[in-house]
Amino acid sequence: MISSEQIATIRRAFDAAGIVAMTERQEVIQSCVIRKVSNIRELYSREVRQVLARIEGWGRKSEARSGSAWDNREEDTWIDKL
């Protein structure tokens, strides 16, 4: 099961992302796991990383972006790494 430290990490990530509504928090968690989760304490340790990644990306999808797809890319290309 999930540890107290992992729960605190998820809660801090929610706060940093501005996700304060419990319904929205539950929606984020449910989008990561296949089974029904009614409480954060029902998560497994192995699911924490996936939940944190989803929290990080949750707000990005609604942001208005300017520039081209090249300018807005998430990861570095091989050219960037040179």
Side-chain angles (χ1 to χ4, degrees), residues 8-53:
T9 301
I10 290 173
R11 288 185 174 150
R12 283 191 303 269
F14 276 133
D15 291 340
I19 303 171
V20 293
M22 285 299 155
T23 55
E24 192 173 15
R25 288 181 176 199
Q26 188 169 15
E27 184 181 342
V28 171
I29 291 172
Q30 281 299 139
S31 70
C32 295
V33 296
I34 297 170
R35 61 191 168 76
K36 178 93 169 127
V37 175
S38 59
N39 187 315
I40 194 170
R41 296 184 191 289
E42 294 176 1
L43 287 173
Y44 295 117
S45 293
R46 66 178 181 264
E47 297 168 328
V48 171
R49 189 177 313 167
Q50 190 176 13
V51 170
L52 291 173

Side-chain angles (χ1 to χ4, degrees), residues 47-62:
E47 297 168 328
V48 171
R49 189 177 313 167
Q50 190 176 13
V51 170
L52 291 173
R54 184 65 52 96
I55 291 169
E56 184 180 323
W58 192 257
R60 286 191 208 157
K61 64 183 173 188
S62 63

Side-chain angles (χ1 to χ4, degrees), residues 61-78:
K61 64 183 173 188
S62 63
E63 290 177 1
R65 295 189 175 204
S66 61
S68 67
W70 180 263
D71 295 329
N72 295 328
R73 67 189 182 281
E74 296 286 327
E75 298 175 3
D76 288 342
T77 65
W78 65 272

